[in-house]
């Protein structure tokens, strides 16, 4: 049977104190609604309908996907009214899953449990047991059977004592859902069309309401203000930290790591505190990442070490390499096996071959650096003439003296040497020493300036 997902994303989020639609506020560098959309895709939804209201133009500009259909809810008249906006798109012979754009942490496995709970001539409802159910709709049962949901403001004292609560997430047949939505009434304390009222309608129709439950409460928590948003962020990060540790990583402090994308790890990976991983990052076996590092869309090879306070972006770091501390490895850089860059070294669009090293205080841009090359401190490749970028090529085994300026385009031959303090603007042949300095003068009797 086909599956359509309706995601409710029309709320303004007044308590966020923001001009941004509530569902676009981020958790782990991704908007809340994008997390929900990803979950819908993960359960192989055939159609995804995004019901929007406030900030529709911004929402459409930010959220992309050929599989998304945007449905406007011009007036916010309750959750039942919101789902009903998608009714013209729903077919009678499909299942319809309702999710919420501001509830980003529902696990795919939990949604799958809900889908499995639904049987023929029934619907499925995700409920949660809360120690403090204040504010939530209560699940009303007759024996074991769910017969309805009562909202907090409409509940009796006896019903307020119920701790099984509604999450709003449900799965129903499309034809049944459309019929129930068309019969909703706004005769309640809020004057809204409650989606929850369809539970009693299903029971009256003789349908069984099967229930499924999340593993933790945070899976069904939403964010109405920035405090709640921060709580979701921390919950998400702790979940990711636990997944990493189970996968073989040792975290110095699981509460001080930020995953803002997809991080995969091998065995015996060590990650120190305050590290940020963005985009798609992979850490192979025995990788060490020091404190305060930022790694973005990069691959780190087996046995490599990223020392503290380094930034790696769109780069490949090979086996047994080391970078940092305070290294900046920019896009297009490839470090091959056992190469090394030290403190305050910056590289961009550079290939560093096996065994090459640049110990400190160096800029290498648009360069090809051969095997076992030694780059002295203070060396820079002068790769930009104000209009064009040019390449520097350094052959295997070359030795670049400290404080050298290599003016591209230029090639330094194999086993060549450049003297410290030289500006090299012409090609250097293999096994040749190149020295380019002004003649030194020692002036006797020279008086230092004095303060006026």
């Amino acid at each position: 049977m086909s599956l359509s997902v309706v995601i409710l994303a029309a709320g303004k989020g007044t308590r966020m104190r923001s001009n941004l639609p509530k569902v676009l506020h981020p958790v782990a560098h991704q908007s809340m609604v994008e997390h929900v959309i990803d979950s819908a895709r993960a359960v192989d939804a055939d159609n995804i309908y995004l019901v929007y209201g406030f900030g529709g133009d911004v929402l459409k500009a930010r959220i992309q996907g050929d599989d998304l259909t945007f449905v406007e809810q011009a007036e916010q008249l309750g959750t039942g009214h919101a789902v009903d906006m998608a009714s013209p798109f729903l077919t009678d012979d499909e299942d319809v899953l309702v999710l919420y754009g501001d509830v980003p942490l529902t696990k795919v496995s939990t949604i799958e449990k809900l889908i499995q709970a639904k049987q023929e001539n029934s619907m499925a409802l995700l409920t949660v047991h809360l120690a403090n159910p204040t504010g939530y709709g209560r699940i009303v049962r007759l024996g074991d059977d769910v017969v309805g949901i009562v909202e907090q403001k409409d509940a009796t004292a006896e019903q307020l004592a119920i701790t099984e609560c509604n999450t709003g997430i449900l799965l129903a047949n499309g034809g049944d859902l459309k019929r129930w939505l068309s019969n909703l009434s706004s005769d309640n304390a809020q004057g809204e069309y409650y989606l929850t009222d369809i539970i009693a309608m299903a029971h009256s129709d003789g349908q069984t309401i099967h229930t499924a439950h999340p593993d933790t409460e945070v899976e069904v928590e939403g964010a109405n203000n920035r405090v709640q948003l921060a709580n979701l962020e921390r919950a998400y990060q702790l979940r990711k930290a636990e997944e990493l540790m189970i996968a073989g990583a040792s975290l110095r402090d699981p509460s001080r790591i930020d995953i803002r994308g997809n991080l995969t790890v091998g065995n015996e990976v060590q990650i120190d505190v305050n590290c940020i991983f963005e985009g798609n990052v992979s850490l192979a076996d025995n990788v060490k990442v020091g404190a305060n590092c930022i790694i973005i869309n990069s691959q780190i090879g087996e046995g490599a070490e990223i020392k503290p306070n380094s930034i790696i972006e769109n780069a490949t770091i090979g086996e047994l390499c080391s970078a940092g501390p305070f290294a900046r490895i920019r896009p297009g850089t490839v470090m091959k096996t056992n190469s090394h860059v030290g403190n305050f070294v910056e590289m961009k669009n550079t290939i560093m071959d096996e065994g090459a090293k640049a110990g400190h205080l160096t800029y290498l841009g648009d360069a090809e650096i051969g095997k076992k090359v030694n780059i002295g401190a203070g060396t820079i490749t002068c790769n930009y003439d104000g209009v064009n970028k040019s390449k520097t090529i350094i052959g295997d085994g070359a030795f670049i003296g400290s404080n050298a300026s290599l003016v591209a385009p230029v090639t330094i031959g194999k086993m060549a040497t450049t003297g410290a303090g030289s500006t090299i603007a012409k090609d250097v042949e293999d096994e040749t020493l190149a020295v380019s300095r002004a003649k030194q003068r020692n002036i006797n009797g020279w008086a230092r300036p004095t303060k006026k």
Side-chain angles (χ1 to χ4, degrees):
M1 181 177 291
S2 64
L3 174 67
S4 285
V5 177
V6 178
I7 300 174
L8 306 190
K12 181 177 181 179
T14 304
R15 282 173 283 176
M16 285 289 186
R17 305 281 181 168
S18 172
N19 292 326
L20 197 66
K22 178 172 69 170
V23 297
L24 288 181
H25 286 268
V27 171
H29 224 50
Q30 185 180 39
S31 69
M32 290 191 286
V33 72
E34 286 178 291
H35 284 283
V36 181
I37 292 169
D38 286 347
S39 295
R41 289 169 175 158
V43 296
D44 296 325
D46 297 284
N47 306 288
I48 302 174
Y49 301 103
L50 197 61
V51 181
Y52 70 92
F54 171 78
D57 291 341
V58 177
L59 192 69
K60 290 178 182 179
R62 295 280 188 94
I63 307 300
Q64 304 293 325
D66 294 337
D67 56 345
L68 299 178
T69 299
F70 289 86
V71 180
E72 185 178 15
Q73 184 189 18
E75 295 181 272
Q76 277 69 66
L77 301 178
T79 51
H81 178 256
V83 176
D84 195 34
M85 295 298 96
S87 288
F89 300 95
L90 306 177
T91 62
D92 293 348
D93 58 350
E94 67 177 342
D95 281 340
V96 179
L97 172 67
V98 178
L99 299 174
Y100 293 79
D102 62 347
V103 181
L105 300 190
T106 309
K107 293 179 181 178
V108 172
S109 59
T110 296
I111 297 173
E112 290 173 339
K113 282 194 295 184
L114 182 70
I115 292 171
Q116 292 165 5
K118 184 182 178 298
Q119 301 173 17
E120 188 175 352
N121 194 35
S122 74
M123 65 174 296
L125 180 67
L126 192 69
T127 71
V128 60
H129 291 274
L130 299 176
N132 180 11
T134 302
Y136 284 82
R138 308 306 203 274
I139 303 300
V140 180
R141 290 181 181 266
L142 186 60
D144 291 334
D145 296 333
V146 175
V147 297
I149 298 173
V150 61
E151 297 294 340
Q152 169 93 19
K153 293 183 178 181
D154 301 310
T156 65
E158 182 180 5
Q159 290 168 333
L160 289 174
I162 297 171
T163 58
E164 184 181 12
C165 297
N166 174 46
T167 68
I169 297 173
L170 57 83
L171 180 71
N173 167 265
D176 293 334
L177 181 62
K178 290 191 290 182
R179 184 177 70 257
W180 296 329
L181 291 171
S182 67
N183 290 323
L184 287 178
S185 167
S186 60
D187 185 16
N188 52 56
Q190 291 290 92
E192 295 183 348
Y193 296 92
Y194 292 155
L195 181 63
T196 50
D197 287 347
I198 72 171
I199 304 302
M201 294 179 185
H203 175 69
S204 296
D205 284 354
Q207 289 203 14
T208 301
I209 296 94
H210 298 285
T211 56
H213 315 285
D215 295 328
T216 59
E217 293 181 13
V218 75
E219 285 193 57
V220 294
E221 289 181 3
N224 292 312
N225 57 46
R226 295 177 191 267
V227 174
Q228 293 173 340
L229 190 68
N231 290 337
L232 290 181
E233 177 74 33
R234 285 300 95 211
Y236 176 91
Q237 296 301 341
L238 184 57
R239 177 191 292 180
K240 290 298 180 182
E242 291 172 351
E243 291 174 359
L244 289 175
M245 291 186 287
I246 291 170
S250 294
L251 307 185
R252 184 63 61 88
D253 184 349
S255 67
R256 288 188 284 170
I257 185 172
D258 281 85
I259 313 299
R260 301 172 183 176
N262 298 305
L263 172 61
T264 58
V265 297
N267 296 326
E268 301 298 341
V269 168
Q270 299 179 36
I271 301 174
D272 211 328
V273 299
N274 300 328
C275 291
I276 299 173
F277 301 90
E278 295 185 15
N280 295 310
V281 176
S282 64
L283 308 179
D285 293 348
N286 299 300
V287 166
K288 295 180 181 179
V289 181
N292 309 312
C293 288
I294 301 174
I295 303 180
I296 305 167
N297 290 320
S298 297
Q299 295 77 47
I300 314 300
E302 184 173 351
E305 182 175 6
I306 310 302
K307 295 180 180 180
N309 302 292
S310 296
I311 301 175
I312 315 292
E313 181 179 4
N314 292 97
T316 300
I317 311 299
E319 296 179 4
L320 303 175
C321 291
S322 65
F326 293 97
R328 187 180 180 201
I329 312 301
R330 292 170 59 192
T333 296
V334 177
M335 293 179 63
K336 295 187 178 180
T337 303
N338 203 33
S339 57
H340 163 76
V341 295
N343 50 289
F344 302 104
V345 172
E346 179 179 355
M347 293 200 298
K348 189 269 302 179
N349 197 30
T350 289
I351 297 174
M352 178 173 272
D353 214 332
E354 297 179 14
K357 57 185 179 180
H360 23 247
L361 304 166
T362 294
Y363 171 70
L364 302 171
D366 298 295
E368 293 181 9
I369 299 167
K371 296 177 181 178
K372 297 185 178 180
V373 168
N374 185 84
I375 308 289
T379 295
I380 63 170
T381 57
C382 307
N383 59 322
Y384 183 53
D385 63 6
V387 179
N388 302 301
K389 297 287 183 72
S390 298
K391 180 172 287 188
T392 298
I393 299 174
I394 304 176
D396 295 347
F399 184 96
I400 308 300
S402 296
N403 201 34
S405 297
L406 309 179
V407 183
V410 69
T411 297
I412 312 298
K414 294 180 180 179
M415 301 301 294
T417 301
T418 65
S422 295
T423 297
I424 305 299
K426 297 179 180 179
D427 291 351
V428 179
E429 296 179 354
D430 295 350
E431 301 181 354
T432 299
L433 169 65
V435 180
S436 173
R437 304 173 182 146
K439 185 176 179 180
Q440 180 173 322
R441 292 187 299 151
N442 297 338
I443 302 173
N444 293 322
W446 177 75
R448 290 184 177 182
T450 57
K451 187 172 183 179
K452 295 179 180 180

